Amino acid sequence: MSCCAEPSSLRSSGGGSKQNLQKLGKQSTFIVRKMGVEVEMDSNMSKAEGHWITQQDMNLAWATSAFLVPCVVVLTAGFFYLYGAVLALLSKTSVRNKVVIITNALSELGKECAGVFHRGGARLILCGKSWEKLEELADDLTDGSDPTLTFPPKLVLLDFGDVDGTAEAVSEVLECYGCLDILIFNSSMKVKAPAQTLTLETDKLLMDNNYFGPITLAKGVLPSMISRRSGHLILVNSIQGKLAVPFRTAYAASKHAVQAFFDCLRAEVEEYGISVSTINHTFIGRSSSNTKPPKSFMSPLFTKKPLGVSPDEATAEIMKTLSNKKKEVLMAPSLPKLAVYARSFFPGVFFSVMAAGVNNSAASEQT
């Protein structure tokens, strides 16, 4: 017998071996895939048992997801809360010993800013039209603060309606501390009327208060900032610097003009380390108990809950902008923001809506 000969036992069972291999192949495991869940099952297992195992694994996956999603949401919210708290803390410390000018400090926003900056240890220069009211504001600030941690505010008479007087006030501002770090433009004059009813004198007065006055002050202090290669100019402007609506022709024109000036100035002075920021709001409100929501068709464009932006909200945004040096901030609810974008991308639709608002107002007055 040859050594290579196949044993008789193997030859006799050759067919059986093939059958056994086929049987083993049938008993091999297979994968059930359903909704991204893989379950390994034995072929001897019934279909019902296989579906039950698949369902259990799916339930476990859904339960894990239901647990993880709220955790991720909570952790994300906590992160943003801490981030905001850190920014608030940094903004308070960032104004200490800084020379800060606030125009129209006697307004609601001006007083709120003055209080926050004074408590933060800033060297304030308060500007306004009334010397007596400025003194009252300064007394209120000093009486309610620790003199070892704060500086007594300095006062400067400033009326943007008097452009020549504004140029003279620049020297007074610079004499207070010899330099300045932050300048907040807060003044504004408003008029609402049909264009044909406004005189050119009124138009010029609006342009003086809202455009020529602020840029005169900005031009006057820029050489000092450029020589020190530092400074931050913040323009608190209306959303109508970006969006023109009916019956505010002169006002919107002045706000567009000052917005464009500071947008151009930003690029010009960036190389000197000077920051320029604009904050556009609907309007600065007072208290929620004293203001009634307007009934005009276009009132949603200029309302927020429905009172515009509160002085403390605007002040908080100013402090945040000083820290992050954001170039442009739009403080407005969703509808006014949508109107700003619609004006840019769908001007035809925007103009139609504005015209419909005018027609609606005219119809309401006739009834």
Side-chain angles (χ1 to χ4, degrees):
M1 180 181 295
S2 170
C3 63
C4 295
E6 183 177 297
S8 58
S9 59
L10 291 179
R11 288 198 302 269
S12 61
S13 62
S17 296
K18 293 181 180 179
Q19 293 176 358
N20 291 336
L21 288 175
Q22 293 175 357
K23 185 176 181 180
L24 287 173
K26 292 180 179 180
Q27 291 178 353
S28 61
T29 58
F30 61 94
I31 301 298
V32 176
R33 299 178 182 271
K34 189 171 184 180
M35 295 184 67
V37 180
E38 294 188 357
V39 181
E40 191 175 289
M41 299 192 309
D42 193 276
S43 60
N44 291 330
M45 203 178 288
S46 65
K47 289 186 178 181
E49 290 174 335
H51 286 303
W52 182 84
I53 293 176
T54 303
Q55 189 65 38
Q56 293 301 313
D57 288 343
M58 290 175 57
N59 292 339
L60 179 60
W62 284 113
T64 304
S65 301
F67 174 76
L68 289 177
V69 170
C71 291
V72 172
V73 172
V74 171
L75 290 175
T76 304
F79 170 78
F80 282 106
Y81 175 80
L82 291 176
Y83 178 73
V86 171
L87 280 182
L89 181 61
L90 291 176
S91 63
K92 290 181 180 179
T93 57
S94 64
V95 301
R96 184 167 300 280
N97 295 323
K98 300 288 187 180
V99 179
V100 181
I101 303 175
I102 302 176
T103 67
N104 195 17
L106 300 176
S107 65
E108 294 292 327
L109 176 58
K111 292 178 181 178
E112 184 69 24
C113 284
V116 172
F117 280 90
H118 181 70
R119 291 189 296 271
R123 302 172 187 262
L124 280 181
I125 302 175
L126 304 179
C127 302
K129 299 179 181 180
S130 172
W131 185 262
E132 291 76 14
K133 293 182 178 180
L134 284 174
E135 287 183 325
E136 292 177 5
L137 176 59
D139 292 339
D140 292 340
L141 293 175
T142 54
D143 291 342
S145 61
D146 186 351
T148 63
L149 300 176
T150 58
F151 299 92
K154 295 184 179 293
L155 311 178
V156 174
L157 280 175
L158 178 63
D159 181 4
F160 280 151
D162 181 8
V163 178
D164 295 333
T166 301
E168 296 176 0
V170 172
S171 59
E172 294 184 42
V173 166
L174 294 175
E175 287 175 0
C176 289
Y177 290 103
C179 64
L180 59 99
D181 299 295
I182 300 168
L183 176 51
I184 300 174
F185 295 90
N186 173 46
S187 301
S188 181
M189 180 180 180
K190 301 177 182 179
V191 171
K192 178 183 177 182
Q196 68 274 14
T197 64
L198 293 176
T199 63
L200 286 178
E201 286 73 17
T202 301
D203 292 344
K204 292 178 181 178
L205 185 60
L206 277 168
M207 291 299 294
D208 285 344
N209 279 273
N210 297 344
Y211 175 68
F212 287 112
I215 71 167
T216 301
L217 180 58
K219 290 182 176 184
V221 302
L222 272 177
S224 174
M225 287 186 169
I226 291 174
S227 65
R228 298 175 66 239
R229 304 189 72 85
S230 67
H232 198 155
L233 305 177
I234 296 184
L235 172 68
V236 182
N237 199 21
S238 169
I239 194 176
Q240 293 189 57
K242 293 178 170 294
L243 187 72
V245 298
F247 305 117
R248 295 170 178 84
T249 50
Y251 177 69
S254 65
K255 290 301 182 179
H256 272 70
V258 73
Q259 181 80 27
F261 176 88
F262 279 91
D263 285 345
C264 293
L265 182 65
R266 179 185 299 115
E268 294 181 15
V269 300
E270 185 175 0
E271 63 176 309
Y272 302 112
I274 300 173
S275 301
V276 177
S277 303
T278 59
I279 300 177
N280 298 84
H281 57 79
T282 47
F283 69 90
I284 304 295
R286 292 190 176 183
S287 62
S288 58
S289 58
N290 296 333
T291 309
K292 295 181 180 180
K295 298 180 180 180
S296 169
F297 172 82
M298 293 179 292
S299 61
L301 289 175
F302 312 102
T303 59
K304 180 183 179 183
K305 300 181 184 178
L307 307 172
V309 179
S310 66
D312 57 321
E313 288 175 321
T315 301
E317 193 61 47
I318 290 174
M319 298 294 286
K320 187 187 300 183
T321 303
L322 286 173
S323 296
N324 58 28
K325 298 187 184 302
K326 192 172 183 179
K327 295 178 174 60
E328 191 174 65
V329 178
L330 182 58
M331 296 188 68
S334 300
L335 186 56
K337 287 183 179 179
L338 181 62
V340 172
Y341 298 134
R343 171 64 181 87
S344 300
F345 298 105
F346 307 101
V349 175
F350 174 80
F351 295 141
S352 298
V353 172
M354 293 297 102
V358 173
N359 295 334
N360 182 74
S361 299
S364 299
E365 292 177 358
Q366 293 176 358
T367 57

